[in-house]
Amino acid sequence: MKPELQAGASQTSSSTCMIFQSCWSRASLLLAVFIAVLAAFLHYTEDPETRDYPRMDVPALEETFRQKNRSCFILGASGETGKHLLKEIVERRLFSKVTLIGRRKLTFEDEAYENLVQEVVDFEKLDDHAAAFQGHDVGFCCLGTTKAKAGTEGFIRVDHDYVLKSAELAKAGGCTHFHLESSKGADKSSSFLYLKTKGQVEADVAELGFERFSVYRPAVLLVDRKESRPAEWFARKFFGVFSSMSIPITTVVRAMVVNTLIDGGEKVEILENKAIYDLSKIGEKQ
């Protein structure tokens, strides 16, 4: 290669390297700023209130609950929270009947799931599937998507419209205790679409007048998804070291199950991240 060509190639390589380093530096700076802002936001929205739950004989509560011969449905059983919730419920054998309500039928290899009832519905025409919501004592709603995946309108339709309509049908069908997975920082007056939508659906479902309405507001969920979400993966790795900013998904579902066993309770209750942790500890298998 001629000296001048070799020098030109070297300069090009050097320029490319400098451009790459510059882009990487900017990306790192933006990521650092994002993390700092998010960490500050989560710290600001942390619920300082703690709940002192009394000591409970969970096995005895479970046995008493089984004798009541109650049934439940799960919305969003194909998602991570719904999947873990279903596993917890099946293993504990709490309900005489468990119904999965979703857009498609799920397949299971374990024989423990063979008695599940599955109702396939069109969420755009839920009124046509009112029968699927009939006759359940307890309802668990783990429906949710993201703006990145469904777009703004799609996100609102799933996380608000589908949830609210399902709750309406469940209430009309006899459901007395409705559980809703929401999010830390949910606030209908928020300027952030995600938190505003979550807060609005909480408020709208509360207006339906369930005998018990339990809202769970977990922080960053610690779970390994099969679906690739790079930003969420990084958030899990970063916030996983802060208990106030994250929570294992198994902790959330255990809190839901234990809360189901407790008679009475507030008509409308909101469990923030710390309360979810505390309630879950009671339900650790003995």
Side-chain angles (χ1 to χ4, degrees), residues 29-226:
L29 178 61
L30 289 174
L31 185 58
V33 171
F34 170 76
I35 291 173
V37 172
L38 186 56
F41 172 76
L42 288 174
H43 178 74
Y44 176 77
T45 56
E46 177 67 12
D47 180 18
E49 181 181 353
T50 59
R51 301 189 183 191
D52 293 324
Y53 292 102
R55 292 181 61 87
M56 300 179 191
D57 185 345
V58 175
L61 287 175
E62 290 181 339
E63 185 56 36
T64 299
F65 190 87
R66 292 187 191 101
Q67 293 174 5
K68 296 177 181 179
N69 199 36
R70 291 182 174 173
S71 63
C72 77
F73 70 82
I74 300 176
L75 284 162
S78 62
E80 294 299 334
T81 302
K83 187 188 309 178
H84 284 79
L85 175 62
L86 174 61
K87 183 174 184 293
E88 189 82 9
I89 287 176
V90 168
E91 288 182 351
R92 291 179 183 265
R93 299 179 292 105
L94 296 176
F95 295 93
S96 59
K97 179 181 177 181
V98 178
T99 301
L100 309 183
I101 302 177
R103 64 176 70 252
R104 60 186 175 84
K105 190 171 184 179
L106 305 179
T107 57
F108 303 96
E109 296 181 358
D110 195 324
E111 291 183 0
Y113 295 83
E114 63 183 3
N115 293 324
L116 293 177
V117 176
Q118 298 201 51
E119 296 284 354
V120 178
V121 303
D122 180 349
F123 282 97
E124 292 293 329
K125 301 176 181 178
L126 276 178
D127 283 323
D128 296 342
H129 304 280
F133 295 86
Q134 291 283 332
H136 306 291
D137 301 292
V138 181
F140 297 95
C141 183
C142 305
L143 282 179
T145 186
T146 63
K147 179 182 175 182
K149 184 176 181 180
T152 299
E153 292 184 1
F155 167 71
I156 295 174
R157 190 161 61 250
V158 172
D159 283 57
H160 179 275
D161 300 350
Y162 291 176
V163 172
L164 180 57
K165 173 54 69 173
S166 296
E168 291 174 351
L169 294 174
K171 178 66 167 55
C175 178
T176 57
H177 190 182
F178 192 79
H179 300 259
L180 175 63
E181 180 188 20
S182 184
S183 171
K184 181 181 178 68
D187 182 352
K188 65 179 182 180
S189 63
S190 175
S191 57
F192 294 97
L193 174 67
Y194 182 83
L195 299 181
K196 180 178 181 179
T197 303
K198 292 293 188 181
Q200 188 62 59
V201 77
E202 287 180 7
D204 291 343
V205 173
E207 290 294 321
L208 298 179
F210 283 98
E211 289 184 22
R212 282 189 71 189
F213 175 41
S214 302
V215 178
Y216 304 84
R217 291 180 176 175
V220 176
L221 292 172
L222 301 179
V223 60
D224 292 325
R225 295 181 186 272
K226 291 182 179 180

Side-chain angles (χ1 to χ4, degrees), residues 222-243:
L222 301 179
V223 60
D224 292 325
R225 295 181 186 272
K226 291 182 179 180
E227 177 184 1
S228 177
R229 295 182 182 179
E232 189 177 271
W233 176 89
F234 185 86
R236 290 199 306 270
K237 296 300 181 183
F238 178 79
F239 292 115
V241 298
F242 303 103
S243 62

Side-chain angles (χ1 to χ4, degrees), residues 51 177 211-214 259 262-269:
R51 301 189 183 191
H177 190 182
E211 289 184 22
R212 282 189 71 189
F213 175 41
S214 302
N259 203 23
I262 302 173
D263 283 328
E266 300 176 20
K267 185 177 179 64
V268 177
E269 60 179 350

